[in-house]
Amino acid sequence: MIETTTLVDQNCHGVLRTELGLATFEAQLGRAAGPPAAGTTFFDTQTGFAVRRWCPPLLGLEPHTSPAGYLARRRELGVLEAGRRLLRGTGVTTYLVDTGLPGDLTGPEEIAAAGAAEAREIVRLELLAQQVADTSGTVGSLLTNLAHAVHAAAGSAAAFVSVTAPRHAAAPASEPPGPGEVRAAAGRWLARRRVGGRLTDPVLLRHLLWTAVATGLPLQLHAGPGEGCRGACSDGGQAQIAGFAAATAGLGTDLVLLYGRPYHRHAARLAGAFPHVYVDLGPALAHTGARAADVLAEVLELAPFGKLLYSSGARGLPELHVVGARVFRQALTRVLGGWAADGSWAVADARRVAEMIASGNARRVYGLDGT
């Protein structure tokens, strides 16, 4: 049997603090732009089935309980107790929490307390820049304050993350933009933005990425189609990220690629090509449900095993933390256990690689053991 004793969730988000009705729960479950089509439900997805398989037993119900029955039990326990039971059923010992999403979500300290675990913050670069811009009236103050904010955040955060730069930064591959380019872009942004306005300027995004690289803190990069994605990002921003990986080689900053399907194989190839590039398994596995073992096997064909990191990628629902952990463990058991069972791998090696992916690699990359 291939089992992992602990997990480090190297990319996740907080959970909602409020009680949820069926429609709200489904909206979080589906993560779609709108409600399900008339006569359908987001419970009829791989993620929905995984929730019904793994979460009911943690709340004292039988697996595969109906959605109505499950949500009734959830309300009976209350949002705090249900969340505590669910998070403590994941086996996660450390959460790295991206705090950049809007909404009434728990922060690192709260999720650590609920899950009886440790937690560190991942700072979202775009949000940090937007917050700095809200209090900076001139180009000079914006750029000075932004540099100070990034370096101050690096003193306590586990990592930085960028969501839009891989899609909007037209040429992150070559080098940082020049001072003149940056000042002109900052002036344009200040002139046209409103308070809280989003950062999409490609020059400022390049500047932000390279400012983060200079700190030496690990940098997570979202890739694949996303909000605001068009044009060059139709391929998941693969060309931009490959170029950026080449340009940052040897600079001392590790890149962690947050790729989902169908780009997981490309991410695995980049991890094999560059010593400082790592692959997050969360987006590729958590939403694949019963087919997650197939996706994991594809990644293991291409990436060195020391380059793969577990995450749930969960947001909003504690159930998604559970699904991420249980689907990952099941996929590891099926793939590595199968290879050990047929003699392709030694059992000891299968167990060692499982622990590397589950927690060891993340502890090394993020210095979680003080290294």
Side-chain angles (χ1 to χ4, degrees):
M1 185 69 174
I2 307 301
E3 295 182 350
T4 55
T5 55
T6 61
L7 297 175
V8 171
D9 191 341
Q10 72 99 39
N11 180 270
C12 65
H13 307 272
V15 300
L16 289 165
R17 298 185 176 97
T18 54
E19 297 283 358
L20 302 179
L22 177 61
T24 307
F25 189 95
E26 279 212 44
Q28 294 292 323
L29 187 65
R31 295 178 65 174
T40 71
T41 170
F42 286 138
F43 275 100
D44 285 338
T45 60
Q46 287 283 8
T47 302
F49 273 39
V51 166
R52 291 177 53 216
R53 165 61 183 92
W54 299 112
C55 296
L58 297 175
L59 304 188
L61 301 172
E62 292 296 318
H64 309 296
T65 296
S66 69
Y70 177 76
L71 292 177
R73 175 59 173 164
R74 202 180 191 274
R75 288 191 297 272
E76 178 185 344
L77 290 171
V79 65
L80 294 179
E81 177 61 14
R84 186 187 69 84
R85 293 191 186 193
L86 291 164
L87 290 174
R88 295 189 182 191
T90 62
V92 171
T93 59
T94 305
Y95 295 94
L96 303 188
V97 185
D98 176 353
T99 55
L101 287 179
D104 188 23
L105 300 175
T106 55
E109 292 184 1
E110 292 169 279
I111 200 170
E118 298 179 353
R120 298 276 302 281
E121 183 180 14
I122 301 171
V123 173
R124 188 171 291 204
L125 288 169
E126 293 86 351
L127 179 61
L128 183 65
Q130 289 156 197
Q131 291 169 339
V132 168
D134 287 342
T135 58
S136 301
T138 66
V139 169
S141 64
L142 169 61
L143 297 179
T144 298
N145 293 341
L146 183 58
H148 288 165
V150 170
H151 285 275
S156 59
F160 290 112
V161 63
S162 176
V163 178
T164 56
R167 300 194 294 267
H168 290 283
S174 54
E175 58 186 11
E181 285 184 273
V182 173
R183 291 188 65 85
R188 292 193 300 270
W189 189 39
L190 284 179
R192 67 173 181 262
R193 78 184 296 275
R194 300 176 180 177
V195 172
R198 299 176 62 189
L199 173 60
T200 58
D201 184 275
V203 173
L204 288 181
L205 287 169
R206 284 173 58 204
H207 174 66
L208 199 56
L209 284 179
W210 285 96
T211 302
V213 166
T215 70
L217 208 64
L219 175 59
Q220 299 181 353
L221 298 173
H222 277 265
E227 185 178 355
C229 178
R230 53 186 181 271
C233 63
S234 61
D235 68 346
Q238 295 178 52
Q240 290 91 334
I241 290 178
F244 188 61
T248 53
L251 298 183
T253 295
D254 289 328
L255 306 181
V256 182
L257 306 183
L258 309 179
Y259 270 54
R261 294 182 69 193
Y263 306 110
H264 55 292
R265 295 181 68 88
H266 179 74
R269 291 189 185 96
L270 289 178
F274 296 102
H276 67 307
V277 174
Y278 294 79
V279 179
D280 170 78
L281 292 172
L285 298 184
H287 301 294
T288 315
R291 292 293 304 277
D294 298 326
V295 177
L296 177 61
E298 290 182 353
V299 176
L300 289 169
E301 291 174 2
L302 298 168
F305 309 138
K307 295 297 204 70
L308 304 176
L309 308 173
Y310 164 74
S311 85
S312 67
R315 57 183 289 182
L317 299 179
E319 284 82 358
L320 297 180
H321 287 266
V322 175
V323 166
R326 297 301 178 93
V327 166
F328 169 74
R329 290 179 188 272
Q330 186 180 63
L332 269 186
T333 296
R334 288 178 176 175
V335 176
L336 302 190
W339 294 344
D342 69 15
S344 297
W345 284 30
V347 172
D349 282 336
R351 289 173 175 164
R352 180 173 58 86
V353 170
E355 291 294 343
M356 287 166 55
I357 299 172
S359 60
N361 293 339
R363 292 193 174 279
R364 171 170 47 83
V365 170
Y366 298 104
L368 299 179
D369 294 324
T371 58

